[in-house]
Structures are given as structure tokens and as C-alpha cells.
Amino acid sequence: MKTKYPLYFFVAAAAVSLSACGGSKKTEAEQKREAWLSSLNDSIALYQKQMEGVSSELSDMQRKVGEMVGDFDYVNNPREVEGYYIYKGWKSRYPLTQTGLLARVTEDERFELIATLSGGIFNEIAANSDGVTVSSGVVPHDQALNYRAGNLNKVCFSGEKADSVGAFIASHESGPVSIIYLNGNRTGSLQLPADEQRMVAATWRLYSMQKKAHSLEKEMPRLSGKISACRRMLESNDNSEKPNDDNP
């Protein structure tokens, strides 16, 4: 025996079926929004992980700097503009009175090379080893950074090019390094003594480690800012989805 249903029953059933199938399907805009929200949470997790890594590396760097500073003497001479750190054993040997090279780290953590040449003049130095040469850049004679007294010419080098000379000497610590004095042309040279080479290399490593530590210190607030920005966007989205009591 067949049961008869009125036509409207089938129409209603079909409508319910279509509604059930189509109602759960999200629009392209909704899918993109969900993907965007998911990416914000992923970004927060990534930045937090990066912060943990930076924090760990920073602690390690600060510990190493603290250990290295113990190998240096702090000098604060009223006749000089600011204090500086000099490798132990060299405080009594500075200022140099003959041809040589000395490195120091200033209070504001700049790396400086003090070069001296007896019996000649110069405004630039270059370090040479294994056929490779790195130059300091020119410091013009001004009786301040490029100073002459009697037969001794003393020049203070700093900045990126001087940094490159320090890094070069440190990377060639196990082999011989020559210092070439220049004033347009070569005016003198020095086979860097082993103790001077160790002193410059140690000073460079202290400066380099301090520089890396400061770079990591700056990275922390940068990552924190990115996390905050992502959270603000998530909060803004939550607020926009909350119903407005004034407009039910």
C-alpha cells in the first residue's frame, strides 16, 4: 500500500535539504578572513619562539662580554675626551712612543686603532696577510686625530673601515700580519709583533661581542612590537563580531 503525500511536502523537504547543504558552505570572504586570523595566531607563535631564541642568545652574549671585560683595564685620563678599555698589560705602554699599533674600546663602545710611525708621516694604514690587504681609510692631518710631535706621527682610526682592519687582524691571529703606513704612497711598514697582534685581536673580539649583544637587545622590542600588533588586530576582529546592544 502506497502512502500518498501532498506535493507541498516534497517541495518543503527539498528546500530543507538545499538549505542544509548550502547553509554550511562559507563564502570566499569568510574563508579568507579565517585564513587571515589563523595566520595572525601563527605569526604570534613564531615571534614568541624567536624572542625566546634571542633572549637565550643575548644572555649568552652578555655572559661572554662580562668574562672578556675582565681581561681589560679601564682608563680615564682627564686629558682625553672619554675613558676607554685597553687590554691588560698595555695601560703602561700607552701612549706609544715608537712605530706600533694599539687598539681600544671607548666608553661609548667604539673600536679605535691608534697607529704610530716614527720618522715618517701617514694618514692611512693597511693590514696585509696572505696576499690580502684591508685599508683603514684616510684621516687627514689635523693635529687632533692625526697628530705630529717631533718625529712621531700618531693617527686614530675608527668607523667601518677601521673595524674591518681590526676584524682582519683578529681573523689572521695565527699568522703574520704586516701594517703598511700610507700617505698617498707607502711611507713605512711594520711586521706586527705577536703581543700587539694578540692585543688588537682580543680588543676586536670584545668590541664585536658588545656590538652583537646590542643588536640582540634591539631585536627584543622589535619582536615584541610585532606580537602586540598581531594581538591588536585579533582584538579588533573580536570586537567587530560582538553584537551591538543598541542595534539588536
Side-chain angles (χ1 to χ4, degrees), residues 131-161:
V132 180
T133 301
V134 178
S135 171
S136 66
V138 173
V139 174
H141 172 55
D142 60 0
Q143 287 300 106
L145 296 177
N146 186 332
Y147 178 81
R148 298 172 190 171
N151 68 340
L152 191 70
N153 191 176
K154 171 184 171 183
V155 184
C156 177
F157 298 96
S158 62
E160 289 184 10
K161 288 191 173 183

Side-chain angles (χ1 to χ4, degrees), residues 62-111:
Q62 290 173 332
R63 176 185 60 78
K64 289 179 179 178
V65 169
E67 291 173 353
M68 294 173 73
V69 167
D71 294 329
F72 289 77
D73 289 319
Y74 175 68
V75 179
N76 189 7
N77 191 331
R79 292 174 298 175
E80 296 180 285
V81 176
E82 62 179 320
Y84 52 86
Y85 292 88
I86 192 169
Y87 196 57
K88 277 192 181 298
W90 287 84
K91 181 179 178 181
S92 60
R93 299 167 67 177
Y94 180 74
L96 300 174
T97 57
Q98 59 186 5
T99 301
L101 184 68
L102 182 137
R104 64 188 185 185
V105 177
T106 64
E107 274 184 352
D108 62 0
E109 298 182 357
R110 284 179 294 109
F111 178 75

